[in-house]
Structures are given as C-alpha cells and as structure tokens.
Amino acid sequence: MSTNKHSHAQWGSRLGFILAAVGSAVGLGNIWRFPYMVGQNGGGAFVFTYLICIAVIGFPILIAELMVGRRGQSNPITAMARVAEQNNRSTAWASVGFMGVLAAFLILSFYSVIGGWSINYIAKVGMGEFTGISADAVGNVFTGMLGDAKELLKWHTVFMLFTIVIVAFGVTSGLERASKLLMPLLGVCLVAMVGYGMFSSGFSAALDYLFSPRFGDINAEVILSALGHAFFTLSLGMGVMISYGSYLGREINLLRTASIVVVMDTGIALLAGLAIFPIVFANQLDPSQGPGLIFITLPVAFGKMGGGVIIGVIFFALLTFAALTSAMSLLEPVVELLEEKTPLNRAFSTIVSGAVTWILGIAALLSFNEWSSFKILGFNIFDFLDTLTGKFMLPLAGLGVIIFVGWFVHRKIIREELHISGTSELVWHIVARFVAPIGVIIVFASQILDLLGYKLADLLAYFG
Ligand code: PHE
C-alpha cells in the first residue's frame, strides 16, 4: 500500500487488493464451516441454495460494500455516514456499519477458538498421533481435545496473540506478500486431496451427495443457513469489505474484481467439500456431526496415506495461515473504530480489542466442556454466537447496505463507480433494488413463520 495525496492509503496494485480481499474471504469459513454446514443441511440441497445465495445476494452486496468503502474513504461507520451525506440522506445509515463492527468482534471470538484447533492439529498430525489408528480413535482424539478446557484455552490464546501481533504492528503487507505464495499452495493442497479422494470408494457417493440436490430437503432452516454462510464466507455484513474498499483506487474495475473474489472463494469451498466427503463416505463417518467434521475426517485420511504426516502438517499450517488472514481482517475494523473514537493509539487499541475478544472466546470454548449445560435460548454460548451473527446480524447489516445502495444512492454515482449504462445498468438496478433485498427479506420472513410453527411451503400451497 502506498499513501496518496488524499491522505488515505491505497492498495499498491489490483493484485494487492485481490490478495487481501481473497485473504479475508478464504479461511475457516470455506474449509471448516462450509463442509459441516453442508452435512447438517442435507448435502446437495444446501450446496444448491448456497450457490444461488452467493450469485444473487452475496455478489451484489460485495459490490455494494466495496462501492461504499471507495466513496466513503473511511472505516465502515464513517464511510456509511459520508456516502449518506453525499446523497443528502440521514447519517443514521451509519448504524448499519456499527452493527457490522459489533458482528466482527463477536465472530472473531469463536473464530479464534477454531483457529486454535487448527494450530493444535499441526502438532497432533506432526507427532503421528493419527497414524495407523481407526476412524473411531481419531474421533476420540477430537472429543478428548474438546473436553480439555485448558488445552483449548492454550491454542485459542496462541491464535489470538498471532492475530494481535499482526494487526498491532501492521505487518499486513508482509502477510500480503506471503499470501501470494501460500494461498495458491492451499489450493494445490486441496486439489491433491481431491485427487486422493477420487481413488477412494467414497468418491461417487460424495459427488452425488454434494451435487444431486433433493429439492424436498430445502426448508427455511436450510435457506437461512445458506444465506448466513454466503455472508460469512464472503466476509460481508461486517464492514470488512467496506474498509477494504476504502483502499481501492479509482481506476480499478469493481465488477471484475468482485467476481474474482467470489469465484476464488466459492472454488475453494467446493474443493474442500470434494476433498472431505469421499473420506466421510469411505469410512462410514457421520456427515452431520457438526463443527468437528474436518478435524475427524481429514486426520483419518492423513493417518492412512503414504506421506500423510507431512501432507497433514502442511495442510493444517496452510489452514492456520488462511485463518489468520481472515482473523486479521475481522480485528481491523474494531481497532480502527477504537483508534478513531478513543484516545488510544493503534497498538493499545489492538491490545484492548484483542483482549476483550479473547475473553469472550474463553466463554465460547468453555461451552464445549465446563459450561456445556449453560444455554441461552436453547443454544450453548458457541452456537449462540455463531447463530446470532451468521443468521441474524450479518444478513441484516447486508440488507441495510444493499437497500442503501439500491435505493438511496444517486444513479450517477452508481454509473461512475461501476462503469455501467443501458442494459447492464438496468440489470444492476433490478438486482440491487429488488432481487437481493427481497431475497434476504423472504428468508427472514420464512424463518419467523417457522419459529411461529408455520412452513412457507404450506402457506404457499394453501394460497395456491
Ligand atoms: N470469510 C472468512 C472465512 O470464510 C471469515 C470472515 C468473516 C473474515 C468476516 C472476515 C470477516 O473464513
């Protein structure tokens, strides 16, 4: 990044921006969360819904966030307020940015716990803990880790410390350079594992499971999970992409850049699915077992394959790296906000926000053991944070941004920002004003009906 005359830093190049945005988007969401969401929501039914959510809701909202950032040239809250002012609208729109920053803080707390599992697994695989043992025994290693609060705390702390150091010292440019090499390597590693899966007995079952949706399985819960995951995986609804957009130069084509981010992110998630499900089916594991899925299936494969120890160590190291580049983008908006609104400098802002996140993370990790019976609205703390952010806060904040950009930003600005006119402009307006917001609203409405005990399909059948 170099500083330009407007005193706001800019990405040195389009590649630099893409690396950072892909670094934020690609992380535990793609490799840990996507497969277990697929498993819990009926396989292909989820994949199908998720792909639609990415294309018609995630992609336009990504463009809208980047646009607000580039126009507003500031953190998410100030950027929303500025763009609102430029369009003679109320600065109350800034509250959308505020909710995003709050969500980022909540997400980082449990994200760091999972990042800790990933670091822990570098060591476990490296020491050959999984070599030659049965799938059941691999499952027991995972359950053993979950039951041990001290162990979880140790690795959560290590992950959080890494994140704090990276953000406090602003070594982000070094990370960006590293990601030029490591992100493609993660892709290669996944492709190799898909290759391994192709020769296993579970491959055709996995293909069928992922890509032959049973449409009858699509219900309100599946749709809301898919929508929430689309936001999570593209880092939307948290102001992260607004912050990143503010560093984006005028000359950069937003539509093209956003498409690259979406394609890479979705590609990595699908590869992860193709790598994991053959192992699930070849070893008769349970696809719907939840957050432990990759930490049980992958070590089973690493324990069996030749060179599995080395490949396993490389894999979990790359996963940890991908998680760190995402975590740093989650902490950044919180730090920026503290820096701006309090007398604290950057280092202290990072330490304070990192420490508060770390404490909340402890509550999340205790929900796997000591506090497992403590429930909020029927959820343990971990699931509560995940559900509150993923299913409610992110979609709501994203809805706010797209309604704002679709309905309250002058057409002239949109034309300038997106370089569109004629038909493409019409398509944008239809998507930004109707398709994306109505999509989010329908998902919410059906969820609320669901909570009240009605099924949307039943109601439609009743009226139809
Ligand atoms: N998109 C990241 C992932 O999929 C997580 C993340 C969410 C990062 C929101 C930043 C902001 O792992």
Side-chain angles (χ1 to χ4, degrees):
M1 255 187 262
S2 58
T3 310
N4 75 352
K5 58 179 183 302
H6 305 297
S7 82
H8 195 81
Q10 286 200 353
W11 302 106
S13 64
R14 190 166 77 111
L15 180 66
F17 171 78
I18 289 180
L19 284 172
V22 171
S24 167
V26 173
L28 296 169
N30 307 62
I31 293 167
W32 158 73
R33 200 172 188 273
F34 174 73
Y36 98 72
M37 284 276 147
V38 171
Q40 284 189 331
N41 291 285
F46 178 87
V47 175
F48 177 82
T49 320
Y50 157 81
L51 290 176
I52 293 185
C53 288
I54 291 278
V56 302
I57 298 175
F59 181 50
I61 294 182
L62 174 58
I63 295 170
E65 291 204 2
L66 293 175
M67 190 192 304
V68 169
R70 183 156 79 175
R71 275 278 153 178
Q73 287 291 301
S74 182
N75 71 61
I77 300 173
T78 315
M80 280 297 284
R82 276 194 195 158
V83 179
E85 264 173 1
Q86 291 163 13
N87 290 278
N88 306 317
R89 307 291 178 185
S90 155
T91 49
W93 281 104
S95 56
V96 174
F98 184 75
M99 178 154 72
V101 176
L102 186 64
F105 157 73
L106 296 177
I107 289 180
L108 183 56
S109 68
F110 68 85
Y111 201 84
S112 166
V113 175
I114 314 295
W117 296 359
S118 180
I119 304 183
N120 191 352
Y121 267 58
I122 303 176
K124 284 190 189 303
V125 176
M127 291 185 305
E129 250 186 72
F130 302 110
T131 313
I133 64 175
S134 70
D136 278 348
V138 173
N140 291 338
V141 173
F142 179 74
T143 335
M145 176 184 81
L146 279 195
D148 188 344
K150 284 208 195 90
E151 184 79 355
L152 294 183
L153 175 61
K154 180 163 86 191
W155 298 108
H156 160 56
T157 308
V158 171
F159 188 88
M160 208 55 223
L161 279 177
F162 272 131
T163 310
I164 291 174
V165 168
I166 292 168
V167 174
F169 295 109
V171 289
T172 50
S173 61
L175 265 196
E176 233 172 76
R177 251 173 286 135
S179 61
K180 232 182 260 187
L181 174 71
L182 297 180
M183 282 301 188
L185 212 57
L186 178 64
V188 171
C189 205
L190 281 172
V191 170
M193 285 158 55
V194 175
Y196 172 82
M198 276 182 185
F199 294 101
S200 82
S201 57
F203 195 68
S204 61
L207 275 186
D208 192 58
Y209 184 72
L210 288 170
F211 299 114
S212 317
R214 275 175 298 159
F215 293 102
D217 288 352
I218 300 179
N219 56 30
E221 177 61 25
V222 170
I223 302 178
L224 191 62
S225 303
L227 180 74
H229 188 69
F231 279 95
F232 188 97
T233 192
L234 290 176
S235 307
L236 297 177
M238 270 155 284
V240 170
M241 290 299 175
I242 298 184
S243 296
Y244 278 23
S246 73
Y247 298 107
L248 208 50
R250 289 260 120 240
E251 69 293 349
I252 285 176
N253 182 329
L254 277 188
L255 287 177
R256 210 175 38 214
T257 313
S259 342
I260 297 178
V261 174
V262 167
V263 168
M264 304 265 261
D265 186 73
T266 311
I268 295 275
L270 293 176
L271 279 178
L274 281 172
I276 284 151
F277 285 101
I279 308 172
V280 171
F281 295 117
N283 295 281
Q284 286 90 41
L285 298 168
D286 173 14
S288 65
Q289 60 186 267
L293 187 65
I294 69 157
F295 293 96
I296 294 175
T297 53
L298 293 177
V300 167
F302 295 139
K304 285 185 182 170
M305 63 172 85
V309 168
I310 296 177
I311 301 178
V313 166
I314 295 178
F315 176 82
F316 281 110
L318 290 172
L319 179 60
T320 303
F321 177 80
L324 279 172
T325 56
S326 300
M328 129 204 155
S329 76
L330 278 165
L331 190 55
E332 186 68 48
V334 187
V335 170
E336 261 179 40
L337 184 67
L338 273 191
E339 236 185 316
E340 209 162 287
K341 303 279 179 213
T342 67
L344 297 178
N345 66 13
R346 184 172 178 86
F348 271 104
S349 304
T350 316
I351 293 173
V352 170
S353 43
V356 178
T357 321
W358 176 73
I359 292 172
L360 190 60
I362 298 179
L365 69 84
L366 286 174
S367 62
F368 292 111
N369 36 67
E370 318 289 328
W371 292 1
S372 59
S373 49
F374 177 77
K375 298 270 158 72
I376 309 171
L377 302 172
F379 295 102
N380 67 33
I381 299 176
F382 184 93
D383 292 336
F384 179 74
L385 289 172
D386 188 26
T387 305
L388 174 69
T389 52
K391 290 191 178 155
F392 296 95
M393 295 176 81
L394 304 186
L396 266 185
L399 181 65
V401 174
I402 195 71
I403 289 185
F404 174 65
V405 170
W407 292 89
F408 296 96
V409 170
H410 291 308
R411 281 177 172 237
K412 188 169 115 331
I413 294 189
I414 306 275
R415 257 180 248 136
E416 276 171 26
E417 285 290 329
L418 300 185
H419 306 293
I420 50 176
S421 56
T423 321
S424 52
E425 192 186 349
L426 185 67
V427 172
W428 166 261
H429 276 292
I430 293 175
V431 171
R433 293 197 149 184
F434 303 104
V435 180
I438 291 176
V440 180
I441 291 168
I442 290 180
V443 173
F444 268 116
S446 68
Q447 176 71 5
I448 288 167
L449 286 175
D450 209 40
L451 286 178
L452 298 175
Y454 298 104
K455 290 268 171 281
L456 188 62
D458 297 344
L459 284 183
L460 290 178
Y462 178 78
F463 288 113

